[in-house]
Amino acid sequence: MLRACAGRAPDAGRHGFCIGPKIPPDFRLIVARPVREPRMRLNRFTDIGLRALMYLATQSREPPVTVSELAEQLNVPRSHMVKVVHRLGQLGWVLTQRGRQGGLRLAPAALDVGLGQVVRVLEDDEAPVDCAQPACPLDGHCVLQGALGRAMAAFHAELDTLTLGTVNHRRTTAVLMQLQRNYLRRQATA
């Protein structure tokens, strides 16, 4: 059934005719949006640090991995990777060696470090919300800060059940090893 649509109604066709029954003007179409899974967000530094540790956990080759290789393989700017690797070295999780034959290796003890500890250290163990900057008028009277703190504690506790040794599942390791093989092939032909 065709009917003439008055003016420029949203349901008007090219020639000003509408198809279907007349819709009352107060009718609202509610579109269901897909619900996203809730997620905790890590800062970029921590994300890069976890990726670097996972990559290093799969290699035991000569020559050792370089910062440039890590940056290229993990799609991260080299300047970011330098900062992350420096911090991982300070923490004793990555062994660094300078010079022509230098590079990076995962410290053996790092395989047993809980990922919760890695995240806490790399995130600087900050509170999920900062009620001091800017000053919040609800500070001291709000339950949100406590609830978010408990949620972060649960998040870290869950990550503490994983180590680099357990998180590098067979499929993950296969992908990381393939990345390394491809990199070494490209370097041999360059």
Side-chain angles (χ1 to χ4, degrees), residues 2 10 16-17 20 40 46 49 53 59 62 64 75 82 89 99 107 110-111 115 119 124 148-149 166 172 185 188:
L2 291 177
F17 291 98
M40 300 297 290
T46 304
L53 290 170
Q59 72 82 33
E62 290 295 332
N75 298 318
V82 167
L111 281 173
L115 294 186
V119 169
D124 291 329
L148 289 173
T166 60
T172 306
R185 268 190 230 120

Side-chain angles (χ1 to χ4, degrees), residues 4 11 30 37 50 59 66 80-81 88 110 138 163 169 187:
D11 60 344
I30 299 174
E37 290 292 319
L50 288 169
Q59 72 82 33
T66 64
H80 287 39
M81 187 59 74
L88 296 174
L138 302 175
T163 65
H169 188 268
Q187 293 302 307

Side-chain angles (χ1 to χ4, degrees), residues 20-31:
K22 185 174 181 181
I23 298 173
D26 62 340
F27 178 81
R28 289 190 205 145
L29 179 63
I30 299 174
V31 178

Side-chain angles (χ1 to χ4, degrees), residues 43 45-46 49 87-88 91 93 118-124:
N43 68 37
F45 191 87
T46 304
R87 180 71 176 125
L88 296 174
L91 294 166
W93 295 333
V118 173
V119 169
R120 277 189 290 276
V121 169
L122 295 181
E123 295 274 323
D124 291 329

Side-chain angles (χ1 to χ4, degrees), residues 128 144-154:
L144 181 61
Q145 186 176 19
L148 289 173
R150 289 188 299 278
M152 286 299 291

